[in-house]
Amino acid sequence: MNDTIFGKIINKEIPAEIVYEDDISIAFKDVNPQAPIHILIIPKKLIDMPQNITDEDDNLVGHLFSVASKIAKKLNITNGYRLVMNNGQDAGQSVLHVHLHMLAGRKLTWPPG
Ligand code: AMP
C-alpha cells in the first residue's frame, strides 16, 4: 500500500517532475527546493521511516544511492552533491515514505541547521 503523497506520485495519481524511474525506485524534483537541484529518490516499496529499514531492504536502500550516482551523471552534476535522509520529528521528516534528498547546484554549509 502506498498511501502517502509519494505513493500518489508512484501511482501517477498526482504529477511530479520525474527525473528517473525503474522497477523499484523513482526520483522526482522536490516541490520546495532547498538548492538549485533538489531531487527526492524513493523506493516504490513503502517503508515509512529510515528507522524501520530492515536487513531485507539492504539491496533496495543501496539502490537509492546508485540511482543518485546515475542522476548526477545524467544532470552533469560535477561539483558535488549532498544525500540526506531525515528520520522522525527532530530531523524534520514530513512525509512517511523513506526518501533520499539529493541537493546540488550551490555550496552547501556544514553542519546543516
Ligand atoms: P522530509 O521533510 O525529509 O520528509 O522531506 C519531504 C520533502 O517532500 C520536502 O522537501 C517537500 O518539499 C517534498 N514534497 C512534499 N510534497 C511533494 C510533492 N507533491 N512533490 C515533490 N516534493 C514534495
Side-chain angles (χ1 to χ4, degrees):
M1 203 169 75
N2 273 304
D3 54 3
T4 68
I5 191 103
F6 291 174
K8 290 184 170 56
I9 290 173
I10 291 166
N11 293 326
K12 311 283 163 60
E13 291 164 12
I14 60 167
E17 282 195 66
I18 295 168
V19 296
Y20 177 88
E21 182 169 13
D22 60 28
D23 286 349
I24 56 176
S25 70
I26 187 167
F28 50 90
K29 293 186 183 173
D30 196 296
V31 278
N32 184 22
Q34 302 302 310
I37 296 171
H38 187 171
I39 292 163
L40 301 171
I41 306 167
I42 71 171
K44 288 186 174 175
K45 173 185 171 183
L46 174 59
I47 306 169
D48 59 353
M49 299 172 75
Q51 71 187 35
N52 293 324
I53 291 168
T54 64
D55 291 352
E56 76 173 35
D57 302 314
D58 283 357
N59 286 340
L60 179 59
V61 175
H63 184 69
L64 304 181
F65 287 85
S66 64
V67 167
S69 175
K70 284 194 186 83
I71 291 171
K73 289 184 182 75
K74 185 174 171 182
L75 301 186
N76 199 27
I77 301 171
T78 53
N79 261 3
Y81 54 89
R82 181 169 295 162
L83 299 172
V84 181
M85 210 179 254
N86 293 321
N87 181 84
Q89 208 174 2
D90 276 1
Q93 184 183 2
S94 61
V95 180
L96 288 176
H97 185 128
V98 159
H99 47 281
L100 190 61
H101 292 262
M102 181 176 195
L103 298 146
R106 68 171 170 83
K107 181 87 179 157
L108 300 161
T109 58
W110 190 263

